Amino acid sequence: MKSRTRSRKFGAVFFIAVVAAAVGVVLLVDPLGSGGSQDLDVSDITSYEVTMTLGDDGVLEADEQITVNFPVARRGIFRIFDTADPRRDIDHAIEGLTVTRDGQPEPWVWQDSARGTATARIGVEDVWLPPGEYTYGLKWRTKDVLEPSVINGEEDPDTTLWWWDVIGSGWPMPIGATDITVNLPAEPTRTECVIGESTPCEPTVDGRTMTLQTGALAPFEPVTVRVGMPSDIVPPNQAPSELIWLALLTGLTGLGLGLLGIRATRETAPGFPVLYEPPAGIRPAVGVRVLDEKASGEELQATLFDLGDRGLVRISPEGEKWRIDMVGDVTQTACEDWEVKMLSKLSLRSVGDSFTVSKTVKAGKKIAKAKESLEGGATVAVDPYLQRSGVGSLVAVLGWLSGAGLVAMAGFHFFGGFEFPLWLITGLAGFAVPAAFVATDVGASTVRTEAGRDVWSRTGGFARFLSTDSSDSRFDAAAHLDWFPKYLPWAVALGVGDEWAKRYEAQGVDPPEVPYLYGWGYGMGYSRGFSDFNSSFAGAITSASAAYAASQAASSASSGGGFSGGSGGGGGGGGSW
């Protein structure tokens, strides 16, 4: 029983680990290999014209006209946007991107990109453009581009800066000429410009309009401007200062709701007095489902052993294979309808029929069908004892949705540049952590009836008896040899088959022969022990199932000092493809 508790805890921890790992992958993976070498492009940009409009709220709108010369057939271009701010903890997400080619709408998609960037792939996979010149028009906007003026460690509270790479450093092709126009929200108090790392350039300022033309630019050569404006007219955009108290409140609220969900799905356990017999009229497959609210991992094997104890089947080894023979008449034996259907899936319908468990697809398919039939029959048989829990199902669904929501938000943020409020993140996380224990606990979606609680108590009490430490002197093994084969199906279903055998072995008593298990105690000998026999048969079932599963899978298949090029926000680059 302790192992089942550990299994449920492990499931919840695994759920949380998956969420954390997914977020971690999003944070750490660099899909484009940004640390790699910079290769030149076969194409070149003959003209790069851009008009930017900067609002006093820090919203920047851009209209780029990029004329590209393809010397060979190409499908289109990439436009890589640098979304990470080099000095502040702010992302400049790209919004409202539209693309044209020669004045007509052009298809494009966002694709995986290095952290701190967003990459638009423009063009169609299967459409190649003949060599020639093409003009790509891109319109987009971003925000929070105005920053406090801190230069060489000195703060100027009267000045707001716009520090931007108007031509990014990521273009692996030469640019013939540029024409840059910037509409500012106020007349600038100063303007600075640099090409590449240190080549100065002189923009022209006319009121609130700044223009700049450059000659040819080498590949990866940026153009950076730094414009100062009065902070009383154009205030800087501060790094997002979330309302910590609100985030804390939503986090605690989510945590509280999750804990309430755990509490609402936990049933008060009845007493588990040690009982020396299983609940009357209950099959092992049903009793274990009521006890654990899930199927036993050895459900098929335990059911076959139970049918063997009732004289219907006999199990014997044949080398690495196992043979199951029908030796009894189902019409003359107390047998459930679902047990009969399960046997029929193994082609065991009348006396003399047999089924061989082997590592073949054919055997695996029959075992899969038998398990499916057993699953359905036992599920129906357990209905009087287990009912669906609406609260548990709801909390489980919400737990999975909250975990998926966190992963999705991380993906949209780092790959798509979307921003999500901290209070929403903490609220979802606060709920997702405790809800994970409900979402990964199959028993949380069911609740036991009054009859179910009685079976729960009796099955749990019997499980205590079967798994009691082998040194318990109160159990006289020699006086109860008949109990071993009779209770073996229950021990296997409960996962304590080895412990049940050791109850006898610890008192110097060889576990008695099991009439329905030929080969253990005869051909194989007691020296192998029941554990080896049991594991061998279970392993054969698993191998056959794996062979069938494999066949199915195969068929489906901050502040700054100095001013240099490429040090502004924005920028980016691209290339042809």
Side-chain angles (χ1 to χ4, degrees), residues 355-571:
F355 170 71
T356 300
V357 182
S358 60
K359 299 178 182 179
T360 63
V361 173
K362 182 178 180 181
K365 182 177 181 179
K366 288 189 175 183
I367 288 175
K369 295 294 184 182
K371 286 183 175 180
E372 182 180 335
S373 179
L374 175 58
E375 170 78 19
T379 299
V380 173
V382 87
D383 279 347
Y385 312 110
L386 289 178
Q387 293 181 342
R388 179 65 59 181
S389 170
V391 173
S393 299
L394 176 62
V395 175
V397 170
L398 292 179
W400 283 110
L401 289 176
S402 59
L406 289 170
V407 175
M409 286 195 298
F412 278 115
H413 174 72
F414 290 102
F415 290 153
F418 290 88
E419 297 289 342
F420 298 95
L422 182 60
W423 63 265
L424 177 59
I425 297 173
T426 57
L428 280 178
F431 179 77
V433 170
F437 290 89
V438 177
T440 56
D441 182 2
V442 293
S445 60
T446 56
V447 60
R448 298 171 183 88
T449 63
E450 191 63 33
R453 290 184 63 82
D454 181 65
V455 173
W456 182 17
S457 177
R458 292 178 179 276
T459 303
F462 186 55
R464 287 187 60 192
F465 163 66
L466 293 176
S467 59
T468 298
D469 189 274
S470 58
S471 63
D472 182 11
S473 60
R474 290 176 296 175
F475 174 67
D476 186 353
H480 299 291
L481 293 178
D482 60 319
W483 283 6
F484 183 76
K486 181 178 180 181
Y487 296 156
L488 184 58
W490 278 92
V492 170
L494 290 163
V496 295
D498 293 345
E499 289 85 343
W500 178 229
K502 290 175 182 177
R503 295 290 301 277
Y504 289 81
E505 295 167 0
Q507 297 184 25
V509 177
D510 288 332
E513 296 178 3
V514 179
Y516 52 86
L517 299 182
Y518 273 43
W520 178 65
Y522 288 95
M524 297 179 69
Y526 287 115
S527 60
R528 288 291 299 273
F530 172 75
S531 177
D532 291 332
F533 183 94
N534 190 45
S535 298
S536 180
F537 182 55
I541 292 176
T542 301
S543 297
S545 300
Y548 176 64
S551 71
Q552 294 298 103
S555 62
S556 64
S558 166
S559 59
F563 176 56
S564 61
S567 60

Side-chain angles (χ1 to χ4, degrees), residues 238-302:
Q238 300 297 328
S241 56
E242 302 285 356
L243 297 176
I244 300 301
W245 64 267
L246 179 59
L248 181 62
L249 177 62
T250 57
L252 291 175
T253 301
L255 180 63
L257 291 174
L259 292 175
L260 284 175
I262 292 178
R263 179 66 184 87
T265 57
R266 289 295 180 267
E267 297 178 69
T268 303
F272 293 113
V274 176
L275 299 179
Y276 295 91
E277 61 181 8
I282 301 295
R283 302 303 182 200
V286 175
V288 173
R289 284 171 179 260
V290 177
L291 175 65
D292 293 335
E293 296 180 282
K294 65 178 182 180
S296 164
E298 307 294 341
E299 191 172 58
L300 177 61
Q301 184 181 353

Side-chain angles (χ1 to χ4, degrees), residues 160-243:
T160 294
L161 289 181
W162 178 54
W163 193 339
W164 206 254
D165 291 346
V166 289
I167 302 294
S169 60
W171 290 102
M173 55 181 71
I175 299 177
T178 69
D179 189 344
I180 302 159
T181 301
V182 182
N183 299 309
L184 301 169
E187 292 188 18
T189 55
R190 68 170 186 268
T191 58
E192 299 169 271
C193 177
V194 64
I195 298 174
E197 289 295 320
S198 57
T199 303
C201 48
E202 292 293 335
T204 299
V205 178
D206 183 6
R208 295 190 301 171
T209 301
M210 181 182 73
T211 56
L212 173 68
Q213 293 82 34
T214 72
L217 299 176
F220 307 111
E221 190 170 38
V223 177
T224 307
V225 298
R226 187 162 66 182
V227 180
M229 291 167 285
S231 59
D232 58 340
I233 300 176
V234 184
N237 302 127
Q238 300 297 328
S241 56
E242 302 285 356
L243 297 176

